[in-house]
Amino acid sequence: ALASKKKSQQQMSRRYDKVVTTFSPEGRLHQVEYAVEAINQAGACVGIVGKDGVVIAAEKQNVRASNGRLLETTKTSEKIYKVDDHVAVCVAGLSADANVLVEEARLAAARYRYAYGRRVPVEQLVQKVCGLLQLYTQYGGQRPFGVKLVFAGYDDILGTYQLFTTDPSGTYSGYKALCFGQNATNGQSLLRNEYPDEPPALDDCLPLALKVMNKTSDSEIISESTAADDASPHVDLFSLSLKDLGTKDGPKVFSHYLFPQEKIAAIFKEHLAPDAAAAAAAAAA
C-alpha cells in the first residue's frame, strides 16, 4: 500500500512538472524545485563578510571532470565576476544561465551610475536581478534559471560590506557567511561554529573560507600535497576590499583581488596544514 501511494504521488508530480506556470495540488512549482536541485549538485561556493572586506571561495568546475587534466588552465576565474567597482558576484549552476544574469547586473549597475552619478546600492542591484529571475517562473514557454548568484559588495550609505544570495524563484537573502552547493550542510555547520559574533578581519576570513571548502569537498581539494610548489589548488579565492590610498576624504577605490594559486597554497600551509597534521596524529593515536 505504501509503495502504491508513493507511485501515485510520483505520477501526480509528473502531471504538474511539464510547465513552470502550473502549480501542483500541494502548491509547488516543480520546475523551480528542479532548478534548485541542479544548483545543489554544483561545486561548492563560500562567502564570508569581514569588517574590512568580503571573501568568496568557489570550487573550480573542472575539478569534477574526468578529463580535467586535459583542460587548458584558465587565466581568469570561471565562477567569480566583477559587476561594478564595488560589487562582485559568484555563480553556481549552469554557466550559460549565469552569463545572462551577470550581464543584466552589469547593465543595471551602469544605468544607475549614468542616471544618478553614484554607485548602485548592492541590495537594489540584487532586487533588479531577482525581478528577472521571477519573470522566468511566471510565463509559459520558458524555464527558470538554473543558477544561484552570490553578490558581494560595499554599501556607501551603510558603510558596511554585504553578502546576498539569489534563488531561481526570484527571492534573495542577506548573510554574514554562507555556503551552498554540494555538501553545503557540512560547510554551513562549520560556519555556524567558527564564524564569530562580530565580523572578523579580512585576513582571518581567508583561512576560514578555505577550511569550509576543504570540508565540503568529497576529496580534499586542498591538501598537504596541494601546498607543494608544483601543485595547484582546485579552488578560486577572491576578496573585495577598500584600497588604502593614505587619504581619509578622497574617493573610495576598491580592490578586486583574485588570489594566485601559490598564495592559496601558502595560506593553507600556514593556517590549515598544522591542524590537519594534528588531527591525523590524534586519529592515529
Side-chain angles (χ1 to χ4, degrees):
L2 183 60
S4 176
K5 182 179 180 180
K6 186 175 181 180
K7 183 177 180 180
S8 176
Q9 291 176 343
Q10 291 176 344
Q11 291 175 345
M12 180 70 71
S13 67
R14 293 194 187 100
R15 293 174 55 187
Y16 296 95
D17 66 357
K18 304 298 182 185
V19 183
V20 71
T21 57
T22 304
F23 284 95
S24 72
E26 297 84 11
R28 298 159 60 185
L29 290 173
H30 289 285
Q31 285 291 329
V32 175
E33 295 180 8
Y34 297 159
V36 173
E37 185 59 30
I39 295 167
N40 292 336
Q41 299 302 319
C45 178
V46 178
I48 302 176
V49 175
K51 62 183 179 182
D52 52 349
V54 187
V55 171
I56 295 176
E59 184 177 346
K60 289 184 178 180
Q61 293 176 344
N62 62 10
V63 71
R64 299 184 184 278
S66 59
N67 61 344
R69 292 184 300 173
L70 304 179
L71 296 177
E72 180 68 29
T73 303
T74 58
K75 301 297 187 296
T76 58
S77 174
E78 52 198 14
K79 300 190 72 173
I80 303 173
Y81 303 88
K82 179 179 178 180
V83 176
D84 201 352
D85 292 343
H86 66 304
V87 183
V89 63
C90 178
V91 303
L94 301 179
S95 298
D97 289 9
N99 290 337
V100 174
L101 295 176
V102 170
E103 289 303 315
E104 180 69 20
R106 288 170 172 167
L107 181 60
R111 284 174 172 169
Y112 188 96
R113 186 183 290 268
Y114 179 79
Y116 301 104
R118 58 189 178 92
R119 291 184 285 264
V120 60
V122 182
E123 187 169 2
Q124 187 170 334
L125 180 62
V126 174
Q127 290 173 346
K128 180 69 175 179
V129 174
C130 285
L132 179 61
L133 287 167
Q134 194 276 334
L135 286 177
Y136 277 74
T137 69
Q138 194 170 356
Y139 297 105
Q142 54 198 20
R143 62 165 178 80
F145 286 91
V147 65
K148 193 168 189 175
L149 305 180
V150 175
F151 285 87
Y154 181 85
D155 189 285
D156 287 319
I157 298 176
L158 299 177
T160 58
Y161 292 92
Q162 295 179 313
L163 194 69
F164 293 98
T165 180
T166 69
D167 189 85
S169 64
T171 59
Y172 71 93
S173 302
Y175 288 88
K176 295 180 180 178
L178 82 156
C179 174
F180 64 88
Q182 284 201 345
N183 300 324
T185 304
N186 297 334
Q188 282 291 96
S189 177
L190 182 61
L191 286 172
R192 281 193 293 268
N193 293 332
E194 300 204 8
Y195 188 84
D197 295 333
E198 296 295 330
L202 184 66
D203 291 340
D204 296 328
C205 295
L206 298 172
L208 178 57
L210 293 181
K211 187 174 183 179
V212 174
M213 290 298 299
N214 218 25
K215 185 75 171 179
T216 58
S217 178
D218 294 331
S219 60
E220 291 192 355
I221 58 174
I222 306 175
S223 60
E224 290 199 38
S225 60
T226 304
D229 294 336
D230 59 346
S232 177
H234 298 293
V235 62
D236 285 326
L237 185 63
F238 170 87
S239 69
L240 172 68
S241 61
L242 278 170
K243 287 184 178 180
D244 186 7
L245 301 179
T247 59
K248 295 184 179 179
D249 300 327
K252 292 183 174 67
V253 180
F254 293 89
S255 170
H256 292 244
Y257 186 64
L258 183 64
F259 284 77
Q261 299 301 301
E262 56 270 16
K263 282 198 174 184
I264 298 176
I267 294 172
F268 171 82
K269 189 174 183 180
E270 179 181 356
H271 296 278
L272 277 71
D275 295 339

